[in-house]
């Protein structure tokens, strides 16, 4: 069954978009393959994030609730975007995040948190409840009591107080893999991470089926 997610993704003309597409090996706008850097094993360690496309999660992937339509969802997304003004994204850096590599902000950004919170809360009426199998898979990650509460209420363990901005670059790595890929990622992304960038829109990604990749369907400008 199709799913939809609300993500942050850098602008199409941002050099970070091109670099990240090559790193992951796929263009999320067209789903066309992209040539990856010449690093041994990169195809395998990026296979999981490649499916989702380069992004930071705001409203996690969801199936539309029964009786809800794509048109209604997009109307609600535009309403959220109309109430939030564009803002500057803090400088990004490559982090080792519990064993996988990701780009994260280098200083707190309350506007990012507020944007994610608004997407989760104001679009939740469109979310079909997760299946028992999906809940079981999430609980296999040894959730904290707070994360378990978020999963039960919002269908995802990492929202509101447990949410954190991150743009995933690899699956979880072994220590040996990390010793190779962490410095490689730092050097690879360094030319674009100092560039200023704005969070100016909400990016709607869709997935046609369980084995399909997520692709960008539409961007909705922030207009607050």
């Amino acid at each position: 069954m199709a799913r939809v997610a609300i993500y942050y993704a850098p602008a199409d003309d941002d050099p970070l978009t091109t670099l990240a597409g090559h790193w992951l090996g796929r263009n999320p706008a067209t789903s066309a393959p992209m040539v990856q850097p010449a690093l041994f094993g990169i195809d395998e360690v990026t296979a999981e994030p490649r499916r989702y496309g380069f992004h930071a999660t705001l409203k996690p992937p969801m199936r539309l609730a029964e009786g809800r339509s794509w048109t209604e969802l997009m109307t609600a997304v535009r309403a959220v975007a109309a109430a939030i003004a564009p803002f500057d994204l803090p400088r990004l850096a490559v982090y080792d995040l519990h064993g996988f590599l990701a780009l994260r902000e280098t200083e707190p950004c309350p506007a990012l948190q507020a944007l994610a919170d608004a997407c989760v809360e104001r679009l939740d009426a469109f979310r079909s409840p997760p299946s028992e199998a999906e809940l079981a898979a999430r609980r296999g990650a040894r959730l904290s009591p707070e994360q378990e509460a978020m999963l039960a209420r919002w269908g995802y363990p990492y929202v509101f107080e447990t949410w954190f901005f991150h743009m995933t670059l690899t699956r979880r790595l072994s220590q040996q893999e990390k010793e190779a890929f962490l410095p490689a990622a730092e050097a690879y992304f360094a030319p674009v991470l100092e560039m200023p960038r704005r969070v100016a829109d909400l990016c709607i990604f869709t997935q046609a089926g369980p084995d399909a990749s997520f692709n960008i369907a539409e961007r909705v400008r922030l207009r607050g």
Side-chain angles (χ1 to χ4, degrees):
M1 184 179 294
R3 292 193 296 171
V4 59
I6 314 302
Y7 291 158
Y8 162 74
D12 292 336
D13 61 357
D14 187 330
L16 175 58
T17 297
T18 301
L19 274 186
H22 281 292
W23 177 270
L24 295 181
R26 186 174 71 88
N27 182 330
T30 66
S31 214
M34 299 179 71
V35 177
Q36 294 184 278
L39 297 169
F40 178 77
I42 191 170
D43 178 68
E44 195 275 327
V45 303
T46 58
E48 183 176 353
R50 182 182 309 122
R51 287 186 61 223
Y52 289 87
F54 185 62
H55 75 279
T57 299
L58 300 173
K59 179 66 172 175
M62 62 182 180
R63 295 181 300 277
L64 284 184
E66 185 175 354
R68 293 291 191 170
S69 70
W70 173 262
T71 299
E72 290 173 321
L73 172 64
M74 291 307 300
T75 297
V77 170
R78 292 187 180 95
V80 171
I84 298 173
F87 56 91
D88 292 330
L89 187 68
R91 187 178 69 83
L92 301 175
V94 178
Y95 283 81
D96 170 9
L97 192 60
H98 310 300
F100 64 90
L101 302 185
L103 294 183
R104 295 204 65 197
E105 74 275 43
T106 54
E107 60 185 78
C109 183
L112 271 176
Q113 182 75 57
L115 180 62
D117 292 352
C119 288
V120 169
E121 183 172 17
R122 295 186 60 186
L123 301 177
D124 200 59
F126 295 89
R127 174 179 62 86
S128 180
S131 67
E132 287 302 318
E134 289 168 332
L135 290 173
R138 289 292 178 193
R139 288 173 175 137
R142 300 179 183 176
L143 301 179
S144 69
E146 188 176 21
Q147 291 165 345
E148 176 65 36
M150 295 298 182
L151 178 64
R153 170 61 184 85
W154 302 101
Y156 194 71
Y158 310 110
V159 294
F160 297 105
E161 292 85 357
T162 60
W163 179 80
F164 53 98
F165 176 91
H166 64 288
M167 309 185 80
T168 306
L169 301 175
T170 69
R171 62 154 168 74
R172 196 176 302 277
L173 303 175
S174 69
Q175 184 59 38
Q176 184 177 6
E177 289 171 331
K178 192 184 307 178
E179 290 171 1
F181 282 102
L182 178 56
E186 289 173 334
Y188 179 83
F189 287 101
V192 300
L193 295 186
E194 296 290 341
M195 295 175 55
R197 49 184 48 90
R198 298 273 282 171
V199 177
D201 56 31
L202 298 176
C203 206
I204 293 82
F205 278 59
T206 57
Q207 181 192 36
D211 298 322
S213 296
F214 277 83
N215 293 317
I216 297 173
E218 190 169 341
R219 289 181 181 267
V220 178
R221 301 286 294 177
L222 302 182
R223 300 184 182 277

